PDB file of all heavy atoms in Angstrom:
ATOM      1  N   GLY A  29       0.812  -1.205   0.000  1.00  0.00           N
ATOM      2  CA  GLY A  29       0.000   0.000   0.000  1.00  0.00           C
ATOM      3  C   GLY A  29       0.848   1.260   0.000  1.00  0.00           C
ATOM      4  O   GLY A  29       1.902   1.351  -0.640  1.00  0.00           O
ATOM      5  N   GLN A  30       0.377   2.240   0.754  1.00  0.00           N
ATOM      6  CA  GLN A  30       1.039   3.548   0.755  1.00  0.00           C
ATOM      7  C   GLN A  30       2.437   3.499   1.363  1.00  0.00           C
ATOM      8  O   GLN A  30       3.289   4.316   1.014  1.00  0.00           O
ATOM      9  CB  GLN A  30       0.161   4.559   1.484  1.00  0.00           C
ATOM     10  CG  GLN A  30      -1.120   4.888   0.722  1.00  0.00           C
ATOM     11  CD  GLN A  30      -1.962   5.917   1.429  1.00  0.00           C
ATOM     12  OE1 GLN A  30      -2.387   5.718   2.572  1.00  0.00           O
ATOM     13  NE2 GLN A  30      -2.224   7.025   0.772  1.00  0.00           N
ATOM     14  N   ALA A  31       2.690   2.561   2.267  1.00  0.00           N
ATOM     15  CA  ALA A  31       4.043   2.437   2.835  1.00  0.00           C
ATOM     16  C   ALA A  31       5.053   2.154   1.732  1.00  0.00           C
ATOM     17  O   ALA A  31       6.126   2.770   1.672  1.00  0.00           O
ATOM     18  CB  ALA A  31       4.073   1.338   3.889  1.00  0.00           C
ATOM     19  N   GLY A  32       4.732   1.218   0.842  1.00  0.00           N
ATOM     20  CA  GLY A  32       5.628   0.913  -0.264  1.00  0.00           C
ATOM     21  C   GLY A  32       5.744   2.054  -1.255  1.00  0.00           C
ATOM     22  O   GLY A  32       6.829   2.324  -1.788  1.00  0.00           O
ATOM     23  N   GLU A  33       4.630   2.742  -1.516  1.00  0.00           N
ATOM     24  CA  GLU A  33       4.653   3.862  -2.455  1.00  0.00           C
ATOM     25  C   GLU A  33       5.544   4.990  -1.936  1.00  0.00           C
ATOM     26  O   GLU A  33       6.277   5.619  -2.711  1.00  0.00           O
ATOM     27  CB  GLU A  33       3.225   4.364  -2.682  1.00  0.00           C
ATOM     28  CG  GLU A  33       2.341   3.361  -3.417  1.00  0.00           C
ATOM     29  CD  GLU A  33       0.865   3.726  -3.350  1.00  0.00           C
ATOM     30  OE1 GLU A  33       0.548   4.844  -2.880  1.00  0.00           O
ATOM     31  OE2 GLU A  33       0.034   2.892  -3.738  1.00  0.00           O
ATOM     32  N   ARG A  34       5.487   5.244  -0.630  1.00  0.00           N
ATOM     33  CA  ARG A  34       6.358   6.277  -0.058  1.00  0.00           C
ATOM     34  C   ARG A  34       7.831   5.891  -0.191  1.00  0.00           C
ATOM     35  O   ARG A  34       8.686   6.730  -0.490  1.00  0.00           O
ATOM     36  CB  ARG A  34       6.003   6.510   1.417  1.00  0.00           C
ATOM     37  CG  ARG A  34       4.676   7.215   1.636  1.00  0.00           C
ATOM     38  CD  ARG A  34       4.538   7.671   3.079  1.00  0.00           C
ATOM     39  NE  ARG A  34       4.527   6.566   4.024  1.00  0.00           N
ATOM     40  CZ  ARG A  34       3.430   5.950   4.443  1.00  0.00           C
ATOM     41  NH1 ARG A  34       2.241   6.332   3.997  1.00  0.00           N
ATOM     42  NH2 ARG A  34       3.503   4.955   5.325  1.00  0.00           N
ATOM     43  N   LYS A  35       8.135   4.625   0.061  1.00  0.00           N
ATOM     44  CA  LYS A  35       9.525   4.167  -0.059  1.00  0.00           C
ATOM     45  C   LYS A  35      10.012   4.296  -1.506  1.00  0.00           C
ATOM     46  O   LYS A  35      11.171   4.665  -1.752  1.00  0.00           O
ATOM     47  CB  LYS A  35       9.645   2.716   0.398  1.00  0.00           C
ATOM     48  CG  LYS A  35       9.243   2.458   1.840  1.00  0.00           C
ATOM     49  CD  LYS A  35      10.361   2.757   2.788  1.00  0.00           C
ATOM     50  CE  LYS A  35       9.912   2.451   4.222  1.00  0.00           C
ATOM     51  NZ  LYS A  35       9.625   1.028   4.449  1.00  0.00           N
ATOM     52  N   LEU A  36       9.141   3.979  -2.469  1.00  0.00           N
ATOM     53  CA  LEU A  36       9.526   4.088  -3.871  1.00  0.00           C
ATOM     54  C   LEU A  36       9.872   5.529  -4.221  1.00  0.00           C
ATOM     55  O   LEU A  36      10.902   5.795  -4.856  1.00  0.00           O
ATOM     56  CB  LEU A  36       8.389   3.585  -4.761  1.00  0.00           C
ATOM     57  CG  LEU A  36       8.584   3.766  -6.274  1.00  0.00           C
ATOM     58  CD1 LEU A  36       9.798   2.976  -6.755  1.00  0.00           C
ATOM     59  CD2 LEU A  36       7.321   3.340  -7.035  1.00  0.00           C
ATOM     60  N   ALA A  37       9.027   6.473  -3.820  1.00  0.00           N
ATOM     61  CA  ALA A  37       9.282   7.883  -4.114  1.00  0.00           C
ATOM     62  C   ALA A  37      10.586   8.340  -3.453  1.00  0.00           C
ATOM     63  O   ALA A  37      11.391   9.067  -4.068  1.00  0.00           O
ATOM     64  CB  ALA A  37       8.107   8.730  -3.637  1.00  0.00           C
ATOM     65  N   LYS A  38      10.817   7.913  -2.210  1.00  0.00           N
ATOM     66  CA  LYS A  38      12.046   8.293  -1.511  1.00  0.00           C
ATOM     67  C   LYS A  38      13.267   7.688  -2.190  1.00  0.00           C
ATOM     68  O   LYS A  38      14.287   8.366  -2.384  1.00  0.00           O
ATOM     69  CB  LYS A  38      11.971   7.825  -0.055  1.00  0.00           C
ATOM     70  CG  LYS A  38      13.106   8.300   0.821  1.00  0.00           C
ATOM     71  CD  LYS A  38      13.181   7.562   2.152  1.00  0.00           C
ATOM     72  CE  LYS A  38      11.903   7.624   2.943  1.00  0.00           C
ATOM     73  NZ  LYS A  38      12.078   7.042   4.312  1.00  0.00           N
ATOM     74  N   ALA A  39      13.165   6.412  -2.573  1.00  0.00           N
ATOM     75  CA  ALA A  39      14.292   5.734  -3.216  1.00  0.00           C
ATOM     76  C   ALA A  39      14.661   6.416  -4.524  1.00  0.00           C
ATOM     77  O   ALA A  39      15.847   6.589  -4.844  1.00  0.00           O
ATOM     78  CB  ALA A  39      13.950   4.268  -3.457  1.00  0.00           C
ATOM     79  N   ARG A  40      13.659   6.802  -5.295  1.00  0.00           N
ATOM     80  CA  ARG A  40      13.941   7.467  -6.572  1.00  0.00           C
ATOM     81  C   ARG A  40      14.608   8.823  -6.363  1.00  0.00           C
ATOM     82  O   ARG A  40      15.558   9.168  -7.074  1.00  0.00           O
ATOM     83  CB  ARG A  40      12.636   7.617  -7.359  1.00  0.00           C
ATOM     84  CG  ARG A  40      12.199   6.322  -8.033  1.00  0.00           C
ATOM     85  CD  ARG A  40      10.892   6.481  -8.773  1.00  0.00           C
ATOM     86  NE  ARG A  40      10.646   5.309  -9.616  1.00  0.00           N
ATOM     87  CZ  ARG A  40       9.444   4.941 -10.050  1.00  0.00           C
ATOM     88  NH1 ARG A  40       8.368   5.659  -9.718  1.00  0.00           N
ATOM     89  NH2 ARG A  40       9.302   3.879 -10.813  1.00  0.00           N
ATOM     90  N   LEU A  41      14.132   9.582  -5.388  1.00  0.00           N
ATOM     91  CA  LEU A  41      14.697  10.911  -5.145  1.00  0.00           C
ATOM     92  C   LEU A  41      16.154  10.804  -4.695  1.00  0.00           C
ATOM     93  O   LEU A  41      17.029  11.544  -5.178  1.00  0.00           O
ATOM     94  CB  LEU A  41      13.863  11.648  -4.101  1.00  0.00           C
ATOM     95  CG  LEU A  41      14.274  13.094  -3.785  1.00  0.00           C
ATOM     96  CD1 LEU A  41      14.211  13.951  -5.049  1.00  0.00           C
ATOM     97  CD2 LEU A  41      13.385  13.672  -2.697  1.00  0.00           C
ATOM     98  N   LEU A  42      16.435   9.885  -3.784  1.00  0.00           N
ATOM     99  CA  LEU A  42      17.810   9.725  -3.306  1.00  0.00           C
ATOM    100  C   LEU A  42      18.723   9.207  -4.403  1.00  0.00           C
ATOM    101  O   LEU A  42      19.882   9.623  -4.519  1.00  0.00           O
ATOM    102  CB  LEU A  42      17.832   8.784  -2.093  1.00  0.00           C
ATOM    103  CG  LEU A  42      17.197   9.321  -0.807  1.00  0.00           C
ATOM    104  CD1 LEU A  42      17.142   8.225   0.251  1.00  0.00           C
ATOM    105  CD2 LEU A  42      17.957  10.534  -0.275  1.00  0.00           C
ATOM    106  N   ALA A  43      18.209   8.289  -5.233  1.00  0.00           N
ATOM    107  CA  ALA A  43      19.023   7.736  -6.317  1.00  0.00           C
ATOM    108  C   ALA A  43      19.306   8.796  -7.385  1.00  0.00           C
ATOM    109  O   ALA A  43      20.435   8.901  -7.888  1.00  0.00           O
ATOM    110  CB  ALA A  43      18.319   6.544  -6.937  1.00  0.00           C
ATOM    111  N   GLU A  44      18.292   9.579  -7.730  1.00  0.00           N
ATOM    112  CA  GLU A  44      18.464  10.618  -8.750  1.00  0.00           C
ATOM    113  C   GLU A  44      19.504  11.653  -8.330  1.00  0.00           C
ATOM    114  O   GLU A  44      20.124  12.291  -9.192  1.00  0.00           O
ATOM    115  CB  GLU A  44      17.130  11.297  -9.030  1.00  0.00           C
ATOM    116  CG  GLU A  44      16.150  10.413  -9.807  1.00  0.00           C
ATOM    117  CD  GLU A  44      14.731  10.941  -9.753  1.00  0.00           C
ATOM    118  OE1 GLU A  44      14.512  12.013  -9.125  1.00  0.00           O
ATOM    119  OE2 GLU A  44      13.826  10.289 -10.308  1.00  0.00           O
ATOM    120  N   ASN A  45      19.708  11.798  -7.028  1.00  0.00           N
ATOM    121  CA  ASN A  45      20.675  12.767  -6.537  1.00  0.00           C
ATOM    122  C   ASN A  45      22.000  12.117  -6.136  1.00  0.00           C
ATOM    123  O   ASN A  45      22.825  12.751  -5.465  1.00  0.00           O
ATOM    124  CB  ASN A  45      20.071  13.559  -5.388  1.00  0.00           C
ATOM    125  CG  ASN A  45      19.068  14.590  -5.873  1.00  0.00           C
ATOM    126  OD1 ASN A  45      19.434  15.707  -6.211  1.00  0.00           O
ATOM    127  ND2 ASN A  45      17.786  14.206  -5.930  1.00  0.00           N
ATOM    128  N   GLY A  46      22.173  10.860  -6.543  1.00  0.00           N
ATOM    129  CA  GLY A  46      23.471  10.225  -6.437  1.00  0.00           C
ATOM    130  C   GLY A  46      23.826   9.635  -5.091  1.00  0.00           C
ATOM    131  O   GLY A  46      24.986   9.287  -4.862  1.00  0.00           O
ATOM    132  N   PHE A  47      22.843   9.471  -4.187  1.00  0.00           N
ATOM    133  CA  PHE A  47      23.174   8.979  -2.850  1.00  0.00           C
ATOM    134  C   PHE A  47      22.978   7.468  -2.690  1.00  0.00           C
ATOM    135  O   PHE A  47      23.629   6.848  -1.855  1.00  0.00           O
ATOM    136  CB  PHE A  47      22.324   9.705  -1.804  1.00  0.00           C
ATOM    137  CG  PHE A  47      22.594  11.178  -1.708  1.00  0.00           C
ATOM    138  CD1 PHE A  47      21.626  12.098  -2.054  1.00  0.00           C
ATOM    139  CD2 PHE A  47      23.827  11.646  -1.290  1.00  0.00           C
ATOM    140  CE1 PHE A  47      21.869  13.462  -1.971  1.00  0.00           C
ATOM    141  CE2 PHE A  47      24.091  13.005  -1.205  1.00  0.00           C
ATOM    142  CZ  PHE A  47      23.109  13.925  -1.553  1.00  0.00           C
ATOM    143  N   THR A  48      22.065   6.879  -3.443  1.00  0.00           N
ATOM    144  CA  THR A  48      21.701   5.469  -3.277  1.00  0.00           C
ATOM    145  C   THR A  48      21.633   4.801  -4.650  1.00  0.00           C
ATOM    146  O   THR A  48      21.658   5.478  -5.681  1.00  0.00           O
ATOM    147  CB  THR A  48      20.345   5.337  -2.569  1.00  0.00           C
ATOM    148  OG1 THR A  48      19.352   6.040  -3.323  1.00  0.00           O
ATOM    149  CG2 THR A  48      20.394   5.908  -1.151  1.00  0.00           C
ATOM    150  N   PRO A  49      21.528   3.473  -4.709  1.00  0.00           N
ATOM    151  CA  PRO A  49      21.521   2.769  -6.002  1.00  0.00           C
ATOM    152  C   PRO A  49      20.296   3.112  -6.855  1.00  0.00           C
ATOM    153  O   PRO A  49      19.242   3.481  -6.334  1.00  0.00           O
ATOM    154  CB  PRO A  49      21.504   1.287  -5.585  1.00  0.00           C
ATOM    155  CG  PRO A  49      22.062   1.262  -4.210  1.00  0.00           C
ATOM    156  CD  PRO A  49      21.596   2.544  -3.566  1.00  0.00           C
ATOM    157  N   PRO A  50      20.418   2.958  -8.183  1.00  0.00           N
ATOM    158  CA  PRO A  50      19.289   3.198  -9.083  1.00  0.00           C
ATOM    159  C   PRO A  50      18.108   2.280  -8.777  1.00  0.00           C
ATOM    160  O   PRO A  50      18.278   1.177  -8.248  1.00  0.00           O
ATOM    161  CB  PRO A  50      19.871   2.893 -10.469  1.00  0.00           C
ATOM    162  CG  PRO A  50      21.347   3.039 -10.308  1.00  0.00           C
ATOM    163  CD  PRO A  50      21.656   2.624  -8.897  1.00  0.00           C
ATOM    164  N   VAL A  51      16.911   2.747  -9.128  1.00  0.00           N
ATOM    165  CA  VAL A  51      15.669   2.048  -8.804  1.00  0.00           C
ATOM    166  C   VAL A  51      14.986   1.580 -10.078  1.00  0.00           C
ATOM    167  O   VAL A  51      14.814   2.363 -11.021  1.00  0.00           O
ATOM    168  CB  VAL A  51      14.717   2.980  -8.024  1.00  0.00           C
ATOM    169  CG1 VAL A  51      13.411   2.264  -7.687  1.00  0.00           C
ATOM    170  CG2 VAL A  51      15.391   3.487  -6.757  1.00  0.00           C
ATOM    171  N   ALA A  52      14.578   0.306 -10.100  1.00  0.00           N
ATOM    172  CA  ALA A  52      13.803  -0.210 -11.232  1.00  0.00           C
ATOM    173  C   ALA A  52      12.311  -0.003 -11.019  1.00  0.00           C
ATOM    174  O   ALA A  52      11.573   0.253 -11.967  1.00  0.00           O
ATOM    175  CB  ALA A  52      14.097  -1.694 -11.440  1.00  0.00           C
ATOM    176  N   GLY A  53      11.846  -0.138  -9.776  1.00  0.00           N
ATOM    177  CA  GLY A  53      10.429   0.047  -9.508  1.00  0.00           C
ATOM    178  C   GLY A  53       9.971  -0.752  -8.308  1.00  0.00           C
ATOM    179  O   GLY A  53      10.779  -1.297  -7.544  1.00  0.00           O
ATOM    180  N   LEU A  54       8.668  -0.822  -8.150  1.00  0.00           N
ATOM    181  CA  LEU A  54       8.031  -1.506  -7.024  1.00  0.00           C
ATOM    182  C   LEU A  54       7.089  -2.555  -7.580  1.00  0.00           C
ATOM    183  O   LEU A  54       6.280  -2.271  -8.480  1.00  0.00           O
ATOM    184  CB  LEU A  54       7.242  -0.486  -6.191  1.00  0.00           C
ATOM    185  CG  LEU A  54       6.603  -0.953  -4.886  1.00  0.00           C
ATOM    186  CD1 LEU A  54       7.671  -1.208  -3.817  1.00  0.00           C
ATOM    187  CD2 LEU A  54       5.595   0.092  -4.380  1.00  0.00           C
ATOM    188  N   CYS A  55       7.175  -3.777  -7.081  1.00  0.00           N
ATOM    189  CA  CYS A  55       6.258  -4.822  -7.525  1.00  0.00           C
ATOM    190  C   CYS A  55       5.566  -5.427  -6.299  1.00  0.00           C
ATOM    191  O   CYS A  55       6.143  -6.242  -5.582  1.00  0.00           O
ATOM    192  CB  CYS A  55       6.946  -5.872  -8.378  1.00  0.00           C
ATOM    193  SG  CYS A  55       8.445  -6.610  -7.712  1.00  0.00           S
ATOM    194  N   HIS A  56       4.355  -4.968  -6.064  1.00  0.00           N
ATOM    195  CA  HIS A  56       3.486  -5.441  -4.989  1.00  0.00           C
ATOM    196  C   HIS A  56       4.229  -5.614  -3.671  1.00  0.00           C
ATOM    197  O   HIS A  56       4.280  -6.686  -3.085  1.00  0.00           O
ATOM    198  CB  HIS A  56       2.808  -6.740  -5.389  1.00  0.00           C
ATOM    199  CG  HIS A  56       1.605  -7.078  -4.549  1.00  0.00           C
ATOM    200  ND1 HIS A  56       0.925  -6.140  -3.782  1.00  0.00           N
ATOM    201  CD2 HIS A  56       0.946  -8.253  -4.337  1.00  0.00           C
ATOM    202  CE1 HIS A  56      -0.075  -6.717  -3.150  1.00  0.00           C
ATOM    203  NE2 HIS A  56      -0.093  -7.990  -3.477  1.00  0.00           N
ATOM    204  N   GLY A  57       4.817  -4.512  -3.201  1.00  0.00           N
ATOM    205  CA  GLY A  57       5.462  -4.494  -1.889  1.00  0.00           C
ATOM    206  C   GLY A  57       6.963  -4.639  -1.916  1.00  0.00           C
ATOM    207  O   GLY A  57       7.623  -4.314  -0.929  1.00  0.00           O
ATOM    208  N   PHE A  58       7.523  -5.116  -3.018  1.00  0.00           N
ATOM    209  CA  PHE A  58       8.973  -5.322  -3.098  1.00  0.00           C
ATOM    210  C   PHE A  58       9.606  -4.249  -3.978  1.00  0.00           C
ATOM    211  O   PHE A  58       9.225  -4.066  -5.141  1.00  0.00           O
ATOM    212  CB  PHE A  58       9.296  -6.708  -3.646  1.00  0.00           C
ATOM    213  CG  PHE A  58       9.245  -7.789  -2.608  1.00  0.00           C
ATOM    214  CD1 PHE A  58       8.044  -8.424  -2.313  1.00  0.00           C
ATOM    215  CD2 PHE A  58      10.380  -8.154  -1.898  1.00  0.00           C
ATOM    216  CE1 PHE A  58       7.977  -9.417  -1.344  1.00  0.00           C
ATOM    217  CE2 PHE A  58      10.326  -9.144  -0.928  1.00  0.00           C
ATOM    218  CZ  PHE A  58       9.127  -9.774  -0.645  1.00  0.00           C
ATOM    219  N   LEU A  59      10.577  -3.548  -3.415  1.00  0.00           N
ATOM    220  CA  LEU A  59      11.322  -2.531  -4.143  1.00  0.00           C
ATOM    221  C   LEU A  59      12.519  -3.190  -4.819  1.00  0.00           C
ATOM    222  O   LEU A  59      13.232  -3.984  -4.204  1.00  0.00           O
ATOM    223  CB  LEU A  59      11.801  -1.441  -3.183  1.00  0.00           C
ATOM    224  CG  LEU A  59      12.523  -0.253  -3.802  1.00  0.00           C
ATOM    225  CD1 LEU A  59      11.532   0.628  -4.561  1.00  0.00           C
ATOM    226  CD2 LEU A  59      13.226   0.565  -2.727  1.00  0.00           C
ATOM    227  N   VAL A  60      12.730  -2.845  -6.086  1.00  0.00           N
ATOM    228  CA  VAL A  60      13.827  -3.430  -6.860  1.00  0.00           C
ATOM    229  C   VAL A  60      14.842  -2.336  -7.159  1.00  0.00           C
ATOM    230  O   VAL A  60      14.544  -1.356  -7.844  1.00  0.00           O
ATOM    231  CB  VAL A  60      13.309  -4.069  -8.161  1.00  0.00           C
ATOM    232  CG1 VAL A  60      14.464  -4.719  -8.923  1.00  0.00           C
ATOM    233  CG2 VAL A  60      12.213  -5.094  -7.862  1.00  0.00           C
ATOM    234  N   GLN A  61      16.063  -2.496  -6.626  1.00  0.00           N
ATOM    235  CA  GLN A  61      17.151  -1.551  -6.819  1.00  0.00           C
ATOM    236  C   GLN A  61      18.378  -2.272  -7.377  1.00  0.00           C
ATOM    237  O   GLN A  61      18.591  -3.458  -7.108  1.00  0.00           O
ATOM    238  CB  GLN A  61      17.553  -0.891  -5.492  1.00  0.00           C
ATOM    239  CG  GLN A  61      16.567   0.124  -4.953  1.00  0.00           C
ATOM    240  CD  GLN A  61      17.079   0.757  -3.668  1.00  0.00           C
ATOM    241  OE1 GLN A  61      17.092   0.126  -2.623  1.00  0.00           O
ATOM    242  NE2 GLN A  61      17.514   2.007  -3.751  1.00  0.00           N
ATOM    243  N   LYS A  62      19.189  -1.547  -8.109  1.00  0.00           N
ATOM    244  CA  LYS A  62      20.411  -2.125  -8.670  1.00  0.00           C
ATOM    245  C   LYS A  62      21.357  -2.569  -7.557  1.00  0.00           C
ATOM    246  O   LYS A  62      21.530  -1.850  -6.561  1.00  0.00           O
ATOM    247  CB  LYS A  62      21.107  -1.084  -9.550  1.00  0.00           C
ATOM    248  CG  LYS A  62      22.214  -1.657 -10.419  1.00  0.00           C
ATOM    249  CD  LYS A  62      21.660  -2.524 -11.532  1.00  0.00           C
ATOM    250  CE  LYS A  62      22.756  -3.028 -12.459  1.00  0.00           C
ATOM    251  NZ  LYS A  62      22.230  -3.989 -13.438  1.00  0.00           N
ATOM    252  N   TRP A  63      21.907  -3.758  -7.693  1.00  0.00           N
ATOM    253  CA  TRP A  63      22.971  -4.227  -6.800  1.00  0.00           C
ATOM    254  C   TRP A  63      24.284  -3.724  -7.384  1.00  0.00           C
ATOM    255  O   TRP A  63      24.825  -4.292  -8.324  1.00  0.00           O
ATOM    256  CB  TRP A  63      22.938  -5.752  -6.702  1.00  0.00           C
ATOM    257  CG  TRP A  63      23.949  -6.330  -5.759  1.00  0.00           C
ATOM    258  CD1 TRP A  63      25.203  -6.743  -6.075  1.00  0.00           C
ATOM    259  CD2 TRP A  63      23.804  -6.570  -4.357  1.00  0.00           C
ATOM    260  NE1 TRP A  63      25.854  -7.234  -4.955  1.00  0.00           N
ATOM    261  CE2 TRP A  63      25.005  -7.140  -3.883  1.00  0.00           C
ATOM    262  CE3 TRP A  63      22.771  -6.358  -3.447  1.00  0.00           C
ATOM    263  CZ2 TRP A  63      25.202  -7.503  -2.558  1.00  0.00           C
ATOM    264  CZ3 TRP A  63      22.970  -6.721  -2.121  1.00  0.00           C
ATOM    265  CH2 TRP A  63      24.163  -7.280  -1.681  1.00  0.00           C
ATOM    266  N   VAL A  64      24.762  -2.612  -6.866  1.00  0.00           N
ATOM    267  CA  VAL A  64      25.899  -1.913  -7.465  1.00  0.00           C
ATOM    268  C   VAL A  64      27.204  -2.634  -7.122  1.00  0.00           C
ATOM    269  O   VAL A  64      27.452  -2.946  -5.946  1.00  0.00           O
ATOM    270  CB  VAL A  64      25.952  -0.457  -6.954  1.00  0.00           C
ATOM    271  CG1 VAL A  64      27.158   0.277  -7.531  1.00  0.00           C
ATOM    272  CG2 VAL A  64      24.666   0.274  -7.317  1.00  0.00           C
ATOM    273  N   PRO A  65      28.052  -2.912  -8.124  1.00  0.00           N
ATOM    274  CA  PRO A  65      29.373  -3.490  -7.817  1.00  0.00           C
ATOM    275  C   PRO A  65      30.177  -2.502  -6.959  1.00  0.00           C
ATOM    276  O   PRO A  65      30.544  -1.421  -7.413  1.00  0.00           O
ATOM    277  CB  PRO A  65      30.007  -3.661  -9.206  1.00  0.00           C
ATOM    278  CG  PRO A  65      28.869  -3.662 -10.165  1.00  0.00           C
ATOM    279  CD  PRO A  65      27.834  -2.751  -9.575  1.00  0.00           C
ATOM    280  N   ALA A  66      30.407  -2.868  -5.744  1.00  0.00           N
ATOM    281  CA  ALA A  66      31.078  -1.968  -4.808  1.00  0.00           C
ATOM    282  C   ALA A  66      31.645  -2.800  -3.663  1.00  0.00           C
ATOM    283  O   ALA A  66      31.328  -3.971  -3.506  1.00  0.00           O
ATOM    284  CB  ALA A  66      30.106  -0.912  -4.275  1.00  0.00           C
ATOM    285  N   ARG A  67      32.470  -2.160  -2.858  1.00  0.00           N
ATOM    286  CA  ARG A  67      33.059  -2.835  -1.697  1.00  0.00           C
ATOM    287  C   ARG A  67      32.724  -2.059  -0.433  1.00  0.00           C
ATOM    288  O   ARG A  67      32.473  -0.843  -0.482  1.00  0.00           O
ATOM    289  CB  ARG A  67      34.579  -2.912  -1.857  1.00  0.00           C
ATOM    290  CG  ARG A  67      35.236  -1.556  -1.959  1.00  0.00           C
ATOM    291  CD  ARG A  67      36.755  -1.637  -1.891  1.00  0.00           C
ATOM    292  NE  ARG A  67      37.382  -0.342  -2.128  1.00  0.00           N
ATOM    293  CZ  ARG A  67      37.508   0.613  -1.215  1.00  0.00           C
ATOM    294  NH1 ARG A  67      37.038   0.423   0.019  1.00  0.00           N
ATOM    295  NH2 ARG A  67      38.102   1.765  -1.518  1.00  0.00           N
ATOM    296  N   PRO A  68      32.715  -2.734   0.712  1.00  0.00           N
ATOM    297  CA  PRO A  68      32.545  -2.002   1.974  1.00  0.00           C
ATOM    298  C   PRO A  68      33.698  -1.024   2.176  1.00  0.00           C
ATOM    299  O   PRO A  68      34.839  -1.287   1.778  1.00  0.00           O
ATOM    300  CB  PRO A  68      32.565  -3.108   3.034  1.00  0.00           C
ATOM    301  CG  PRO A  68      32.230  -4.357   2.296  1.00  0.00           C
ATOM    302  CD  PRO A  68      32.793  -4.189   0.917  1.00  0.00           C
ATOM    303  N   MET A  69      33.411   0.097   2.782  1.00  0.00           N
ATOM    304  CA  MET A  69      34.453   1.099   3.014  1.00  0.00           C
ATOM    305  C   MET A  69      35.414   0.638   4.105  1.00  0.00           C
ATOM    306  O   MET A  69      35.003   0.006   5.079  1.00  0.00           O
ATOM    307  CB  MET A  69      33.817   2.433   3.399  1.00  0.00           C
ATOM    308  CG  MET A  69      33.087   3.108   2.240  1.00  0.00           C
ATOM    309  SD  MET A  69      32.309   4.668   2.726  1.00  0.00           S
ATOM    310  CE  MET A  69      33.741   5.646   3.199  1.00  0.00           C
ATOM    311  N   ALA A  70      36.658   0.960   3.932  1.00  0.00           N
ATOM    312  CA  ALA A  70      37.663   0.676   4.963  1.00  0.00           C
ATOM    313  C   ALA A  70      37.547   1.705   6.077  1.00  0.00           C
ATOM    314  O   ALA A  70      37.087   2.830   5.864  1.00  0.00           O
ATOM    315  CB  ALA A  70      39.061   0.709   4.348  1.00  0.00           C
ATOM    316  N   SER A  71      37.965   1.315   7.271  1.00  0.00           N
ATOM    317  CA  SER A  71      37.763   2.178   8.439  1.00  0.00           C
ATOM    318  C   SER A  71      38.406   3.551   8.264  1.00  0.00           C
ATOM    319  O   SER A  71      37.853   4.573   8.661  1.00  0.00           O
ATOM    320  CB  SER A  71      38.314   1.499   9.694  1.00  0.00           C
ATOM    321  OG  SER A  71      39.696   1.193   9.531  1.00  0.00           O
ATOM    322  N   GLY A  72      39.583   3.629   7.627  1.00  0.00           N
ATOM    323  CA  GLY A  72      40.260   4.908   7.468  1.00  0.00           C
ATOM    324  C   GLY A  72      39.555   5.857   6.514  1.00  0.00           C
ATOM    325  O   GLY A  72      39.745   7.082   6.586  1.00  0.00           O
ATOM    326  N   GLU A  73      38.741   5.309   5.611  1.00  0.00           N
ATOM    327  CA  GLU A  73      38.080   6.148   4.615  1.00  0.00           C
ATOM    328  C   GLU A  73      36.992   7.029   5.216  1.00  0.00           C
ATOM    329  O   GLU A  73      36.648   8.069   4.647  1.00  0.00           O
ATOM    330  CB  GLU A  73      37.485   5.275   3.513  1.00  0.00           C
ATOM    331  CG  GLU A  73      38.521   4.574   2.658  1.00  0.00           C
ATOM    332  CD  GLU A  73      37.892   3.658   1.629  1.00  0.00           C
ATOM    333  OE1 GLU A  73      37.297   2.636   2.035  1.00  0.00           O
ATOM    334  OE2 GLU A  73      37.970   3.972   0.428  1.00  0.00           O
TER     335      GLU A  73
END
């Protein structure tokens, strides 16, 4: 319902501004985002 719709709108806004992974969409409660090739940050970073 609206909980998922709010998350979708938030995910798109954050992704469009370069903070989070790209978003494909929402399918009946499940949000689909790109699994970006990346590594965990090292403590010094």
Side-chain angles (χ1 to χ4, degrees):
Q30 291 182 301
E33 293 167 9
R34 289 192 297 269
K35 300 277 181 64
L36 174 62
K38 187 194 304 187
R40 282 179 169 158
L41 183 59
L42 291 173
E44 288 165 1
N45 285 273
F47 296 114
T48 57
V51 180
L54 186 72
C55 51
H56 198 19
F58 278 87
L59 184 72
V60 182
Q61 287 182 287
K62 193 71 176 173
W63 183 268
V64 178
R67 61 171 174 81
M69 290 179 63
S71 58
E73 292 177 292

